[in-house]
Amino acid sequence: MTHQKLATRVTSIRVSPSVAAAQKVRDLKAQGREILNLTVGEPDFDTPDSIKAAGVQAIAEGDTKYTPVNGTDALRKAVQHDFSTRLGIDCALDRICVGSGAKQILFVAMMATVEAGTEVIVPAPYWVSYPDMVVANGGTPVIVPCGEDVGFKLTPEALEAAITDKTRWVILNSPSNPTGVAYTGDELRALAAVIRRHPQVLVMCDEIYDRIWYADFRTESILGVAPELAEQALVVNGVSKSYAMTGWRIGYAAGPKFLIDAINKLQSQMSSCPSSISQAAAAAALTGPQGSVNATVKVYRQRRDRAHELINQIPGLSCSLPDGAFYLYPSCAGVIGKTTPDGKRIESDLDFVLYLLEQAGVASVHGGAYGLEPYFRISTATSMEVIEAACQKIAEAVAGLR
Ligand code: PLP
């Protein structure tokens, strides 16, 4: 009965599949099962001490009140400096906003611009939340499949073909969750040229993993390589992943003034501002020494290399090498149609992932959740021991298929 009292914006969306997968792992562990968990979407490192100290200092100094809606000057200046020096984005302070996580900014940006009849182009595989954020705001996600043959990336041709006069956004995520692939500067420039031809289209670039980077080519942002998109591009980033600060909830964005003003206006009615303490810590993260980021990226790289090597040794599975982030997105096409020792046919990547959970005690997320099958996502935000043990168990489970 209660669901009849809920708005369609709630009943039409799903609980995030990665949150659901993490809950399943917790439930199984509570039942006493040992699970090797490869579903984790956050760093397994602790927030560096110097950043924690900045938060403690903010509390001690009474920096515990509302801040400006769009974030403290200190944090926005830190973001401005970071975007300018690292990515070549030149942006006035009033074009930068701060929110309680990148996720909140992405959602509020949609809320500010999407309504019934609005289309949002979402290249697949996509981060699980994008389509639901569109639907929650009454819009229509237009899913554009970007297969492994095109490196899991949106091509200018596919973008051009997907644009209609109802298109409001195209969402880019580089490096990507779930594949880890990143766009090169040239690829971004080619996409920017298409977007430029359609002034009604905005591009939302989610660059939350851009410091967790392994590729030989340099990290680029669409606004850095195509400054002519200043009135059409929203670049979203945050401290969650790079600085192991997921619980502090700070994200930020740079974009056109009309959009940043709209985001701020909505935020003024939603939450007033993000936590003052977390903003102080995030400013310290961006302006302080970057040694912790470099050290963690080194560890993530070792894990990526090892997981990539081990998965590719398993007959029936294959995996491309991620440019960044802490995920791998192996294909399981070679096991579809096979039969488990219990006589059940593996019809889909969901069947495969459930088989791995039951048979091998390995938790991962099926590709269907990210809109491109048959794949599964594994996270390397866990120890090398867990990664090696999990790959061994996956290999044994796959060997048991007939
Ligand atoms: N964007 C992507 C692609 C993500 O994977 C995540 C977290 O999983 C987020 C945004 C959310 O980041 P935040 O913690 O800043 O809200």
Side-chain angles (χ1 to χ4, degrees):
M1 283 305 271
T2 29
H3 74 278
Q4 291 174 355
K5 299 195 179 106
L6 295 174
T8 342
R9 84 173 63 87
V10 176
T11 52
S12 58
I13 62 170
R14 311 160 297 170
V15 173
S16 155
S18 23
V19 171
Q23 187 55 44
K24 174 124 198 173
V25 172
R26 276 194 290 274
D27 292 347
L28 286 170
K29 280 187 171 166
Q31 291 164 21
R33 278 207 59 186
E34 240 179 68
I35 302 294
L36 296 163
N37 186 6
L38 301 182
T39 69
V40 185
E42 62 181 337
D44 54 321
F45 299 100
D46 196 8
T47 306
D49 285 343
S50 59
I51 300 175
K52 286 184 186 170
V56 171
Q57 190 183 344
I59 295 173
E61 290 178 354
D63 189 0
T64 53
K65 303 285 167 57
Y66 293 131
T67 73
V69 169
N70 59 348
T72 62
D73 267 17
L75 179 51
R76 280 181 304 119
K77 278 182 184 152
V79 172
Q80 185 186 43
H81 184 257
D82 174 55
F83 278 7
S84 159
T85 50
R86 209 165 50 83
L87 302 169
I89 299 174
D90 285 315
C91 177
L93 270 189
D94 62 1
R95 286 169 162 251
I96 294 172
C97 67
V98 175
S100 302
K103 197 174 203 170
Q104 193 200 37
I105 297 187
L106 294 164
F107 192 95
V108 177
M110 297 271 186
M111 188 184 253
T113 49
V114 170
E115 54 204 350
T118 310
E119 293 178 358
V120 176
I121 298 172
V122 183
Y126 45 71
W127 179 42
V128 289
S129 291
Y130 300 137
D132 285 307
M133 286 182 181
V134 177
V135 171
N137 287 296
T140 307
V142 175
I143 309 297
V144 178
C146 301
E148 209 166 345
D149 53 324
V150 285
F152 298 119
K153 295 187 218 185
L154 183 65
T155 62
E157 296 74 27
L159 172 59
E160 185 73 69
I163 292 176
T164 71
D165 38 355
K166 295 188 190 131
T167 308
R168 183 65 40 81
W169 287 103
V170 50
I171 302 183
L172 300 179
N173 175 209
S174 179
S176 144
N177 175 3
T179 63
V181 302
Y183 289 88
T184 65
D186 283 346
E187 287 165 344
L188 289 172
R189 260 183 287 275
L191 292 170
V194 177
I195 294 161
R196 207 61 195 113
R197 286 200 290 276
H198 300 274
Q200 86 281 12
V201 176
L202 300 166
V203 57
M204 186 178 275
C205 297
D206 179 348
E207 301 174 357
I208 189 86
Y209 293 99
D210 77 343
R211 278 188 159 89
I212 304 173
W213 188 269
Y214 324 114
D216 293 337
F217 57 93
R218 50 165 281 170
T219 319
E220 304 271 20
S221 169
I222 198 153
L223 260 183
V225 300
E228 65 278 11
L229 285 187
E231 290 304 309
Q232 285 176 276
L234 183 73
V235 168
V236 182
N237 212 316
V239 291
S240 287
K241 314 288 179 175
S242 313
Y243 300 98
M245 290 178 71
T246 43
W248 297 78
R249 309 307 305 126
I250 294 293
Y252 36 80
K257 182 139 179 359
F258 78 89
L259 184 59
I260 297 293
D261 286 349
I263 291 172
N264 291 336
K265 190 173 177 184
L266 284 166
Q267 178 147 286
S268 77
Q269 296 294 8
M270 286 171 90
S271 62
S272 295
C273 64
S275 150
S276 58
I277 299 150
S278 297
Q279 290 189 67
L286 289 176
T287 54
Q290 300 299 303
S292 72
V293 180
N294 300 336
T296 51
V297 170
K298 208 168 148 194
V299 175
Y300 287 136
R301 178 193 286 271
Q302 287 162 355
R303 294 171 180 173
R304 174 205 68 159
D305 290 347
R306 186 75 177 126
H308 177 257
E309 181 192 4
L310 291 174
I311 292 288
N312 278 322
Q313 283 169 6
I314 302 173
L317 305 185
S318 66
C319 182
S320 56
L321 191 68
D323 299 314
F326 39 65
Y327 308 105
L328 284 89
Y329 199 59
S331 162
C332 54
V335 302
I336 303 294
K338 297 204 166 185
T339 308
T340 70
D342 301 343
K344 195 174 169 295
R345 219 173 109 89
I346 305 276
E347 307 274 5
S348 64
D349 52 24
L350 179 58
D351 286 347
F352 180 59
V353 160
L354 290 174
Y355 170 65
L356 291 183
L357 190 57
E358 289 302 324
Q359 181 77 20
V362 173
S364 57
V365 187
H366 71 291
Y370 306 96
L372 194 78
E373 302 180 38
Y375 291 86
F376 62 112
R377 189 194 77 169
I378 60 178
S379 162
T380 53
T382 185
S383 69
M384 190 67 107
E385 292 70 40
V386 168
I387 291 168
E388 290 183 338
C391 289
Q392 176 64 31
K393 294 265 184 198
I394 295 173
E396 287 163 14
V398 169
L401 294 171
R402 289 288 162 264

